[in-house]
Amino acid sequence: MPIRVLLADDQTLVRAAFAMLVSSARDMDVVGQAGTGREAVELARTARADLVVMDIRMPDLDGIEATRRIAADEDLADVRVLVLTTYDIDEHIVEALRAGASGFLVKDTRPAELLDAIRTVAAGESLLSPGPTARLIARVLRLPDAPPPGVPAPAALGVLSERERQVLALVARGLNNAEAAQALGLSPLTTKTHVSRIMGKLGARDRAQLVIAAYESGLVTPSRS
């Protein structure tokens, strides 16, 4: 079945360009276009979208709040959100990831990269645009509600075993399952099982939220990455 994509952007020309691009892919269908965050939430329900390509800055309801509502709706539990932003240092990127977005890309990314990002996120993986990831993490640690580096892990991470904490640290540093498995001397299947259990214990939707949790807890810091 093709990936059912909903496009949410307040600029008509941008939506039209994205629609042409997505429609050109044989494994994707555009099932709706929204000009506001509120429309995006409504269409995510009615159009049965698999993934929403969400602009952060929109009228009526911004992309962050729209993402939060989609993530909080049990009927939309399988809907993923890929956030697009004009700048790779957008101050709202972290908020979007906390709200439930599975990743982000800058709008000037190459067409093929956008299509690959849609496939990645729709498959249940997370995606952080490679260029600004280090700056993103640094920004997380500078936020008022984020603990400084070196503080003890919050109670939430106390439910993890030592091995699970090791796996989480490697995930936060950007390693995939195969790479983490090699680093720890485990099989990829065992590592995948650990990641699934970590997500369940922490209530994370995907790996993007695991990255945020690891850095916010002080388990991993940019200086050690």
Side-chain angles (χ1 to χ4, degrees):
M1 295 293 291
I3 302 169
R4 299 173 61 83
V5 181
L6 169 63
L7 303 172
D9 194 296
D10 65 336
Q11 299 182 46
T12 304
L13 288 178
V14 172
R15 290 201 310 273
F18 285 156
M20 290 181 61
L21 173 62
V22 173
S23 296
S24 70
R26 294 183 177 180
D27 58 341
M28 301 179 194
D29 282 338
V30 176
V31 296
Q33 298 185 40
T36 70
R38 197 175 303 279
E39 289 179 358
V41 176
E42 294 174 353
L43 284 174
R45 296 191 183 105
T46 60
R48 294 183 299 167
D50 297 316
L51 180 142
V52 182
V53 177
M54 183 83 74
D55 186 27
I56 286 182
R57 293 180 174 86
M58 287 189 294
D60 187 24
L61 194 70
D62 65 32
I64 296 172
E65 181 58 29
T67 297
R68 184 175 292 111
R69 295 188 184 188
I70 290 173
D73 191 329
E74 293 184 359
D75 292 334
L76 301 178
D78 294 330
V79 179
R80 303 299 177 189
V81 177
L82 174 64
V83 169
L84 290 183
T85 179
T86 304
Y87 305 104
D88 65 9
I89 55 173
D90 192 301
E91 62 184 2
H92 299 304
I93 288 175
V94 173
E95 294 180 58
L97 292 174
R98 282 179 172 150
S102 294
F104 74 91
L105 285 176
V106 291
K107 281 188 175 181
D108 63 356
T109 189
R110 292 181 299 177
E113 291 177 346
L114 175 58
L115 295 179
D116 285 342
I118 290 174
R119 295 184 182 103
T120 297
V121 173
E125 297 294 329
S126 62
L127 186 141
L128 301 180
S129 188
T133 298
R135 292 192 294 275
L136 167 69
I137 298 307
R139 183 177 295 278
V140 170
L141 296 177
R142 288 200 302 270
L143 293 176
D145 58 345
V151 300
L157 265 63
V159 302
L160 302 182
S161 67
E162 181 60 29
R163 177 63 81 189
E164 288 170 341
R165 290 166 65 88
Q166 293 172 348
V167 172
L168 175 59
L170 294 178
V171 168
R173 292 184 177 116
L175 276 66
N176 59 33
N177 290 346
E179 293 167 339
Q182 183 175 14
L184 295 174
L186 304 173
S187 72
L189 180 59
T190 298
T191 302
K192 181 179 180 180
T193 299
H194 280 310
V195 172
S196 297
R197 288 177 178 170
I198 294 168
M199 290 174 60
K201 288 182 177 181
L202 299 183
R205 283 168 59 93
D206 52 37
R207 296 169 77 100
Q209 291 195 339
L210 291 184
V211 172
I212 295 296
Y215 278 94
E216 286 187 326
S217 71
L219 178 65
V220 180
T221 69
S223 61
R224 299 182 211 154
S225 299

